[in-house]
Amino acid sequence: SLPDGLSLPDGLSLPDGLSLPSLAAELTVAAEHAGSLVPPELWSNAPLFGTALTPTAALLQLGVIGAAAVGGAISRAELDGEAPYAPGTDSYDPAAADAFFRARPLLVAKRLCSLSYLTGGFTAGVLWDWLVLGKLLRDEEYKALKASEPNRAKEALNLCEQLGPTFIKLGQALSIRTDLIPEAYALELRQLQDAVPPFPSTQAKEILASELGLPGGAAALASTFRSLSTEPLAAASIGQVYRGTLHDGRTVAVKVQRPAILDEIGLDLYLLRLLTPLQTRISNAVNRLPTYDADIASAQALVDEWGRGFVAETDYLYEADNTESFAEAMARRGLGAVTSPAVVRELSSSRVLVTEWVDGTRLDLDASPDVPRLCGVAINAYLTMLLDTGVLHCDPHPGNLLRTTDGKLCILDWGMTLGVPQDLQYSLIEFIAHVNAEDYAAMPDDFVRLGFTPPEQLERVRASNLTEGLSFVLRQLSQGGGGKKLQARVRDEWREQYDPGGLLSKEELRAKVREGFYAQARTQLEADGVEGASVMDVQNVMEKMQQRNRELFQVPPYILYVARAFSTLEGIGLSVDEDYAIVQECYPYLARRLFTDRSPRSKAALRAMLGLDGPAVRAPSALPFGADTVGVVVPTAQSSARGNGGGGGDGGGGGLSPSKLVEMSEQFREATAATATVDRGAGQAEATRELAGLLIDPEGSTLQDILVEESARLGDAAVRQALRTALVDTPASLVAPLGLKPPPALEALLAATDEDERALATASEIAELIGPRVRQELGAAASEPPLPTAVAEAVGSLLADGGARGDVWRGVQGVTTLSRRVGALMLRRGVQRAEGTPGLPAAAREAIINGNKAVADAIEPAGPPADGGV
């Protein structure tokens, strides 16, 4: 025991969690333990102790005893059931964790020792393969490292299981990222998706009984469950699932959380954050790159973002909310082919989640012929989450995507989600639209809005080759085949560019490519004003380019979740079709969204995709006259009779792309048909009805606005062409021999413009595109019953179906409204043309303007804009 009043000298203190009495107790225990290891006969050997107990030896012995004491204290440190923060979506707090674990140094030291002990052998083995057998023995292809990957991957799997829930979750995330880790590792780590070691069922059932408020413990579970599986059917990083039957006959999945899970997660996240600076420096040193403060800050931000989602997963009530919200959101949007399990609320808590059982098989393991369709359903569902509902499911590993027995897609495990603000949603829509339209000049602004580029670097990005590189990557991705085929295509392009004769070996080609890259990098650095860039060595070029790209480009944390979700979906798609192209799969959803969303930003994106430059505007017939109406090109007096109006008629100078319009219409039908219902035929019918509804909806739609504008432009051109023939061209040929000609003002009023030529050419192209489809439909109709019989059957069906009768009535209303809008817009275009025609007599001008205005307002009264949204 310690003498009374013993204290430490001034300026010295023990770590938090230790006191002098506790340290003395630890030293006593350690001394007794050390003494028990010494044979009794040695204690009685006076000459030995007389010569060995010198001051130096005594200090060494005391040091050993002290180390044994501290080691004993560390080995007995245990989690005390407390965590640095509570479960929840916004409770993760690195500062709170820092304060919490600074007060528990022995616990931190114990976990560090455990991590070092468990990972030491694996780390040493990888270093041996890479450093000794590779670097030191000058094996530039690292054959030994690659040969040992299968065995090392098995070691990595075992290591994740030994290290606990945090590292299991990390392994699951890495298992789908073959761009970050070798494929052998990814294949092994995928076993963590649904084969995590469980914790004892006795413990799980005690937790279940406690959460249900059953005083009798596990034995009382029979009062709630008619049956409950003895062992878990599946185990995950945070909990494990049992199958049960309630007394009302429902079969349910019962997910029970691991004990003290948040304590373990909190400690591991604290250590990951603590070790991140060291890991970043080592990684950069291996790649011969300097480490900047921004590198460390970025790496820690990634740990924090991942930790925030992981901590949120520990609140099962949050997961229950997400599960229910998703099913409701999909039902409201008509996506009947995708769903989530029904939550049994009365039996769920923050540590227990009970849902109705879903019979199905993993999407990536199902051999059903409709799996490709369900991959499309999955893409549409995730794009709907990302760009519409604003809640993205962030854990879409294959074990969480099921094909149900009735052919639906069921998405499980809603613990980790990402909130997507509306402004970000529209920025992503605009970006996808610009990619689809190959409008690479607009992408630097997209980068800023998406958080990839700091606003102050916008001009530098515009002047850089980043968009050129992105366009190259997107072109490659759109061809499908995933990363492997992309790499093969890139190698082919390199071969074509640097070795068209095929004379270089693989190593020589790589050297040529590197040489070309460095030359391009030096040119870019020179353009950025970097002095001496043309004579820099490779190391300096790499450092400067890394610094430049860090300034121009950053990875916002949300993109990691988006990338994870879509890389998983791409992997499933590639397992079905080796040429699967996820970029192409996104476009049907985009067509559907842009056709139905009336927000100004979506309208602008749709116009861009259809080749109509300039901002979206509200349908001109609904605007007060003269307020942002669609412009009309009027030839000047100097223009010829055929006219060179110069410029487009929608204020932006662009013309509608018929091929893109038809393509997007087909994509709209594809997206609707795939997701509306399990029955593909019924889905096609629903898609056709919905597209027709958009075109003739009395309330209007974005697509209808554009078609009204184009129809009015075409009608205006056709009417003036007919009038020009009747009033100018024909009379001119008759009176020309007499030296007479039609009035110049009439010629100017009816003169053709470039806009007219585009409108007529567009109409012709649309006819050519849809003509074969119409003829095909008519050909199919020829084999159907005679027309009177078919009409009688159709009318009888309509009269018997109240919903169909409503559709017909709405269709009649829509066609009437559509006709009025087109007619009113044609009249208003006539007003604008009369106002801009030089030399027109005042009386004639006034008569045209007043007459057209009166008729236009009568058939379609102008009103104030009603657009809202982003």
Side-chain angles (χ1 to χ4, degrees):
S1 63
L2 285 172
D4 294 337
L6 181 63
S7 62
L8 289 172
D10 292 341
L12 295 180
S13 62
L14 289 172
D16 293 337
L18 275 182
S19 63
L20 283 173
S22 64
L23 180 59
E26 296 290 350
L27 289 171
T28 302
V29 171
E32 291 175 353
H33 179 66
S36 66
L37 300 177
V38 180
E41 57 271 17
L42 285 181
W43 289 114
S44 59
N45 192 331
L48 173 64
F49 282 94
T51 58
L53 280 179
T54 63
T56 301
L59 286 173
L60 287 173
Q61 292 175 38
L62 286 173
V64 171
I65 293 172
V70 173
I74 290 174
S75 67
R76 285 190 293 276
E78 295 291 343
L79 294 167
D80 53 10
E82 295 184 17
Y85 28 67
T89 57
D90 55 1
S91 58
Y92 173 75
D93 185 351
D98 189 60
F100 182 86
F101 288 111
R102 280 183 183 276
R104 294 164 174 79
L106 298 180
L107 190 62
V108 174
K110 180 179 181 180
R111 183 58 172 163
L112 277 174
C113 291
S114 174
L115 292 175
S116 301
Y117 173 74
L118 291 172
T119 61
F122 174 79
T123 304
V126 172
L127 282 175
W128 175 264
D129 296 337
W130 172 73
L131 184 61
V132 178
L133 301 182
K135 285 280 186 183
L136 297 182
L137 296 182
R138 300 184 182 279
D139 176 12
E140 293 185 0
E141 294 188 3
Y142 296 102
K143 295 176 184 176
L145 182 66
K146 293 175 182 177
S148 64
E149 277 179 1
N151 290 330
R152 298 293 182 209
K154 289 182 171 59
E155 293 176 20
L157 173 64
N158 293 331
L159 193 57
C160 286
E161 293 176 347
Q162 291 175 336
L163 292 174
T166 306
F167 293 89
I168 289 172
K169 197 73 177 178
L170 188 58
Q172 289 175 342
L174 289 173
S175 70
I176 59 172
R177 298 304 304 271
T178 52
D179 56 328
L180 299 180
I181 62 174
E183 187 171 359
Y185 285 79
L187 289 172
E188 286 293 334
L189 293 178
R190 281 173 196 165
Q191 297 181 46
L192 295 171
Q193 292 169 354
D194 50 9
V196 176
F199 64 97
S201 287
T202 53
Q203 203 172 9
K205 292 181 179 179
E206 287 296 333
I207 293 172
L208 176 58
S210 174
E211 291 296 309
L212 294 177
L214 302 176
L221 290 174
S223 64
T224 302
F225 299 95
R226 181 189 299 170
S227 64
L228 189 65
S229 58
T230 305
E231 297 298 329
L233 276 69
S237 55
I238 293 179
Q240 55 198 41
V241 178
Y242 296 82
R243 180 168 180 163
T245 305
L246 301 180
H247 287 291
D248 61 9
R250 283 181 295 172
T251 303
V252 292
V254 183
K255 182 155 70 169
V256 183
Q257 194 173 105
R258 292 177 182 270
I261 183 68
L262 194 55
D263 305 24
E264 295 183 46
I265 291 172
L267 176 57
D268 284 341
L269 289 175
Y270 169 76
L271 288 175
L272 283 175
R273 206 173 189 281
L274 198 66
L275 296 173
T276 291
L278 177 62
Q279 187 275 333
T280 303
R281 288 189 174 91
I282 292 174
S283 177
N284 284 350
V286 167
N287 292 292
R288 298 182 180 179
L289 297 173
T291 299
Y292 300 96
D293 291 341
D295 296 335
I296 294 173
S298 176
Q300 288 184 325
L302 295 180
V303 172
D304 289 341
E305 189 64 29
W306 184 66
R308 193 171 290 109
F310 200 5
V311 171
E313 282 193 83
T314 62
D315 182 1
Y316 281 177
L317 289 177
Y318 169 69
E319 181 175 345
D321 292 341
N322 291 332
T323 305
E324 291 179 330
S325 297
F326 171 74
E328 293 167 3
M330 295 300 104
R332 283 197 306 273
R333 287 160 177 80
L335 302 181
V338 60
T339 187
S340 59
V343 177
V344 183
R345 275 282 177 179
E346 63 272 19
L347 299 180
S348 298
S349 70
S350 62
R351 299 179 66 197
V352 169
L353 178 62
V354 180
T355 60
E356 294 185 9
W357 188 266
V358 177
D359 285 315
T361 53
R362 282 176 43 156
L363 191 60
D364 62 329
L365 300 179
D366 197 286
S368 302
D370 64 350
V371 168
R373 177 186 67 84
L374 287 177
C375 287
V377 170
I379 289 290
N380 276 277
Y382 273 85
L383 285 168
T384 301
M385 288 184 256
L386 177 65
L387 303 176
D388 187 0
T389 67
V391 179
L392 179 69
H393 180 268
C394 292
D395 197 16
H397 65 71
N400 285 338
L401 301 174
L402 299 184
R403 181 197 180 275
T404 64
T405 52
D406 59 355
K408 292 183 178 181
L409 173 71
C410 184
I411 302 179
L412 310 176
D413 197 354
W414 284 87
M416 183 180 288
T417 60
L418 172 71
V420 187
Q422 190 180 61
D423 183 67
L424 178 58
Q425 290 177 347
Y426 281 109
S427 296
L428 286 164
I429 289 172
E430 290 162 345
F431 175 67
I432 297 172
H434 292 149
V435 169
N436 182 269
E438 298 185 3
D439 185 2
Y440 300 115
M443 289 184 184
D445 294 288
D446 292 333
F447 293 159
V448 172
R449 284 192 290 268
L450 293 172
F452 287 102
T453 297
E456 65 274 11
Q457 300 293 340
L458 176 59
E459 294 306 319
R460 287 185 66 192
V461 171
R462 283 190 177 133
S464 72
N465 60 351
L466 279 175
T467 53
E468 181 184 332
L470 178 66
S471 66
F472 172 78
V473 172
L474 290 172
R475 282 198 304 272
Q476 296 298 330
L477 286 174
S478 66
Q479 295 181 50
K484 285 186 177 179
K485 290 202 172 183
L486 186 149
Q487 290 175 6
R489 286 193 295 269
V490 169
R491 281 196 297 268
D492 290 342
E493 290 211 13
W494 285 349
R495 181 74 66 180
E496 184 178 341
Q497 181 178 356
Y498 294 102
D499 184 28
L503 303 176
L504 300 179
S505 67
K506 189 181 296 184
E507 290 73 19
E508 289 171 333
L509 178 61
R510 283 202 198 101
K512 274 278 190 182
V513 171
R514 282 196 297 268
E515 184 181 321
F517 169 77
Y518 293 140
Q520 187 178 15
R522 290 187 181 98
T523 301
Q524 188 63 55
L525 290 173
E526 283 184 328
D528 285 352
V530 177
E531 294 184 7
S534 60
V535 294
M536 278 184 182
D537 60 22
V538 170
Q539 180 66 22
N540 284 330
V541 167
M542 291 300 294
E543 289 183 11
K544 288 292 184 182
M545 286 298 291
Q546 182 192 32
Q547 182 179 354
R548 167 185 175 271
N549 291 338
R550 186 186 296 107
E551 293 170 353
L552 299 183
F553 212 68
Q554 58 196 17
V555 179
Y558 76 84
I559 207 67
L560 298 177
Y561 293 114
V562 176
R564 182 183 180 194
F566 285 90
S567 63
T568 299
L569 296 174
E570 183 182 40
I572 296 174
L574 288 169
S575 69
V576 177
D577 176 9
E578 65 177 14
D579 293 318
Y580 182 80
I582 194 167
V583 172
Q584 296 293 341
E585 291 294 321
C586 292
Y587 293 143
Y589 169 84
L590 183 66
R592 177 184 171 86
R593 175 64 183 273
L594 294 182
F595 277 6
T596 57
D597 190 335
R598 291 181 61 81
S599 75
R601 290 177 70 176
S602 284
K603 287 184 180 182
L606 177 57
R607 292 178 68 85
M609 287 189 68
L610 292 176
L612 297 167
D613 302 332
V617 294
R618 185 161 176 81
S621 60
L623 288 172
F625 183 76
D628 296 327
T629 50
V630 175
V632 176
V633 176
V634 181
T636 64
Q638 287 74 29
S639 299
S640 67
R642 293 302 297 167
N644 286 320
D650 64 350
L656 176 69
S657 168
S659 60
K660 181 61 73 172
L661 175 62
V662 172
E663 176 190 334
M664 290 187 70
S665 299
E666 289 299 317
Q667 289 173 339
F668 174 93
R669 294 178 74 248
E670 180 183 336
T672 305
T675 57
T677 177
V678 172
D679 184 341
R680 183 72 177 181
Q684 290 283 6
E686 175 62 27
T688 302
R689 281 195 300 272
E690 187 172 355
L691 183 58
L694 284 174
L695 295 175
I696 61 175
D697 187 350
E699 300 297 321
S701 68
T702 302
L703 179 61
Q704 187 185 111
D705 291 347
I706 291 174
L707 292 180
V708 164
E709 179 184 317
E710 292 300 313
S711 299
R713 184 178 285 116
L714 173 62
D716 182 33
V719 168
R720 283 186 300 101
Q721 185 182 53
L723 290 174
R724 188 168 58 250
T725 300
L727 301 178
V728 176
D729 296 343
T730 302
S733 64
L734 295 176
V735 300
L738 304 176
L740 302 175
K741 63 179 181 178
L746 182 61
E747 286 187 300
L749 183 65
L750 299 179
T753 65
D754 289 346
E755 178 190 20
D756 296 340
E757 300 294 344
R758 284 199 301 271
L760 294 170
T762 296
S764 176
E765 188 176 346
I766 289 177
E768 290 176 2
L769 287 169
I770 67 174
R773 304 178 193 214
V774 172
R775 287 191 291 272
Q776 184 179 0
E777 293 292 333
L778 292 175
S783 60
E784 296 178 357
L787 187 59
T789 304
V791 170
E793 291 176 355
V795 171
S797 175
L798 289 174
L799 292 175
D801 187 342
R805 290 197 302 273
D807 287 344
V808 170
W809 175 241
R810 283 190 295 273
V812 171
Q813 285 181 306
V815 170
T816 303
T817 301
L818 193 63
S819 301
R820 289 203 309 265
R821 293 183 66 194
V822 173
L825 182 52
M826 287 178 62
L827 290 165
R828 289 182 171 115
R829 289 174 64 86
V831 171
Q832 288 182 312
R833 190 171 297 280
E835 288 179 331
T837 300
L840 192 65
R845 188 193 311 275
E846 186 176 352
I848 294 173
I849 290 173
N850 291 338
N852 281 19
K853 276 186 179 182
V855 178
D857 288 342
I859 64 175
E860 180 72 8
D867 271 341
V870 177

